[in-house]
């Protein structure tokens, strides 16, 4: 996807995330990652937060989604037509297991690229392989999960020596995977040392490679593209996050063909717009996780549906049928 700038204005959005677990992408308790963005003025956001506190009879301290989710009438007000967010907010969903399958597929295809899994991704064969791995790999039980964990360990290497040691470990684990499905077997046949050696050089020498296990950056890309759709420059106020360095934001802009993104970080407690984004992200994660686990709440899923961006990093067909219908 090539974004062609057609300047029509400036959109300022406030953002926050939920489900961040660093590079531990296999943590089952935080499998779903959500990135929420809201386009609401500061004054209106403050009134909305005050209304939430009044409705829930909550006093001191930051109002968080864990409390909100226990108070269904307040949650349905926030997400529903009487609340402040409908039509002015968005949520990007990421299933970390699928993101990881995409990274693995890309490495042994045309090489690891940070566009992998996003709407910027043009490697359709790698995308199909990632989908097959994600949906069929779990049939192999411990062999599949060991392959993913070994891949994570490899990408966590602190230096070349550690990386080389973990390459040997990864290849030994990969040799045990041995799938029978044609597409998975073809992928397994491509696993070898040359792509791993090439990745080592990029990881330790190439500053243009964004951290492969960073889950926030792909979500940031999709959030920006969503608000940029009408040619708007995007100015983002984001809750403080160590992953959002100046260098990485510059790389995000390069990935999007210099789609205009300016980003400023702040503490969610100091900006009520970011607090609303935090409440939306946390609520969305719980609703989407319930659907993914097969026990979704139809009423809450229906309330979340209008907020979802069109290019989630999500591949489970059953839950997505409910979330997107």
């Amino acid at each position: 996807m090539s974004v062609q700038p057609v300047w029509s204005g400036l959109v300022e959005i406030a953002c926050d995330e939920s489900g961040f677990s660093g590079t531990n992408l296999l943590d089952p308790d935080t499998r779903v990652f959500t990135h929420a963005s809201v386009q609401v003025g500061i004054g209106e956001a403050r009134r909305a937060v005050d209304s939430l506190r009044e409705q829930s009879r909550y006093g001191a301290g930051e109002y968080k989604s864990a409390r909100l989710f226990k108070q269904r009438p307040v949650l349905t007000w926030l997400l529903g037509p009487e609340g402040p967010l409908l039509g002015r907010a968005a949520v990007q969903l990421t299933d970390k297991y699928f993101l990881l399958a995409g990274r693995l597929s890309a490495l042994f295809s045309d090489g690891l690229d940070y566009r992998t899994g996003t709407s910027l991704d043009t490697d359709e064969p790698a995308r199909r392989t990632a989908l097959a791995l994600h949906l069929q790999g779990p049939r192999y039980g411990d062999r599949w999960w060991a392959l993913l964990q070994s891949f994570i360990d490899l990408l966590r290497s602190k230096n070349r020596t550690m990386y080389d040691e973990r390459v040997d470990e990864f290849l030994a684990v990969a040799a045990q995977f041995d799938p029978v499905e044609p597409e998975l077997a073809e992928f397994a046949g491509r696993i070898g040392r040359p792509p791993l050696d090439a990745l080592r050089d990029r990881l330790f020498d190439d500053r243009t490679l964004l951290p492969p296990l960073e889950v926030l950056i792909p979500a940031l890309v999709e959030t920006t593209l969503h608000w940029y759709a009408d040619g708007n420059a995007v100015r983002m106020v984001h809750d403080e996050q160590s992953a959002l360095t100046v260098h990485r934001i510059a790389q995000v802009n390069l990935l999007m063909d210099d789609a205009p993104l300016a980003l400023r970080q702040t503490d969610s407690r100091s900006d009520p717009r970011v607090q609303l984004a935090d409440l939306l992200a946390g609520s969305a994660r719980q609703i989407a996780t319930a659907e993914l686990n097969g026990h979704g709440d139809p009423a809450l899923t229906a309330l979340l549906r209008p907020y979802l961006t069109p290019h989630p990093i999500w591949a489970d067909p059953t839950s997505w049928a409910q979330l997107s219908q």
Side-chain angles (χ1 to χ4, degrees):
M1 176 180 179
S2 179
V3 179
Q4 299 300 319
V6 180
W7 305 108
S8 64
L10 174 70
V11 170
E12 181 167 282
I13 55 175
C15 302
D16 204 351
E17 48 77 20
S18 180
F20 184 76
S21 59
T23 59
N24 185 15
L25 301 189
L26 291 181
D27 179 4
D29 293 330
T30 55
R31 174 176 173 177
V32 174
F33 176 84
T34 53
H35 188 258
S37 49
V38 303
Q39 188 187 18
V40 179
I42 291 178
E44 186 175 1
R46 184 173 291 111
R47 290 191 292 273
V49 172
D50 289 343
S51 179
L52 286 168
R53 289 179 177 277
E54 182 179 349
Q55 292 180 62
S56 60
R57 299 178 181 177
Y58 183 72
E62 186 176 7
Y63 192 83
K64 303 293 287 185
S65 61
R67 176 175 293 273
L68 174 64
F69 215 78
K70 296 175 182 178
Q71 298 174 306
R72 190 181 181 99
V74 186
L75 175 61
T76 56
W77 173 82
L78 178 68
L79 299 180
E82 301 301 319
L85 298 180
L86 192 61
R88 295 190 290 174
V91 175
Q92 173 68 20
L93 292 182
T94 298
D95 179 349
K96 296 178 189 176
Y97 292 5
F98 184 44
L99 179 107
L100 190 57
R103 295 285 186 266
L104 186 60
S105 171
L107 175 58
F108 296 101
S109 180
D110 288 336
L112 196 57
D113 189 309
Y114 219 82
R115 293 175 177 85
T116 295
T118 72
S119 58
L120 298 172
D121 194 349
T122 59
D123 192 343
E124 190 57 37
R127 287 167 64 97
R128 288 196 301 270
T129 300
L131 181 62
L133 285 169
H134 178 69
L135 296 179
Q136 300 174 29
R139 298 176 186 173
Y140 292 87
D142 290 345
R143 286 180 287 166
W144 168 244
W145 302 115
L147 181 67
L148 291 183
Q149 186 59 60
S150 182
F151 184 54
I152 290 174
D153 294 341
L154 177 70
L155 294 178
R156 283 173 168 169
S157 299
K158 301 297 185 183
N159 52 55
R160 288 174 177 269
T161 300
M162 180 183 292
Y163 183 92
D164 288 339
E165 293 172 352
R166 290 180 174 178
V167 163
D168 292 334
E169 295 169 3
F170 173 79
L171 291 174
V173 171
Q176 300 299 314
F177 180 42
D178 194 27
V180 297
E181 291 85 356
E183 192 162 12
L184 269 61
E186 192 274 335
F187 161 78
R190 295 199 307 269
I191 295 178
R193 192 173 294 273
L196 296 168
D197 289 344
L199 177 60
R200 176 193 58 208
D201 294 337
R202 292 194 68 195
L203 283 173
F204 298 106
D205 295 337
D206 185 357
R207 286 181 55 80
T208 67
L209 180 68
L210 289 157
L213 297 179
E214 177 53 67
V215 68
L216 177 58
I217 300 299
L220 196 74
V221 168
E222 291 297 347
T223 296
T224 304
L225 292 174
H226 173 77
W227 291 101
Y228 179 69
D230 295 325
N232 299 295
V234 178
R235 184 164 62 198
M236 186 179 292
V237 180
H238 204 290
D239 189 34
E240 293 174 338
Q241 242 291 350
S242 59
L244 299 178
T245 65
V246 172
H247 171 70
R248 290 180 185 174
I249 298 306
Q251 290 303 112
V252 165
N253 275 302
L254 288 175
L255 286 176
M256 297 186 293
D257 295 336
D258 288 314
L261 168 65
L263 185 141
R264 174 175 63 85
Q265 297 190 64
T266 188
D267 189 319
S268 63
R269 292 169 295 184
S270 67
D271 191 319
R273 299 171 301 171
V274 176
Q275 189 170 359
L276 281 181
D278 171 69
L279 293 170
L280 177 58
S283 300
R285 186 171 74 86
Q286 293 193 60
I287 295 169
T289 297
E291 283 294 350
L292 186 60
N293 291 335
H295 49 77
D297 183 313
L300 293 181
T301 297
L303 286 172
L304 176 63
R305 201 173 290 139
Y307 294 95
L308 300 181
T309 58
H311 299 289
I313 301 176
W314 195 275
D316 177 70
T318 303
S319 59
W320 187 243
Q322 297 302 316
L323 289 163
S324 64
Q325 65 178 235

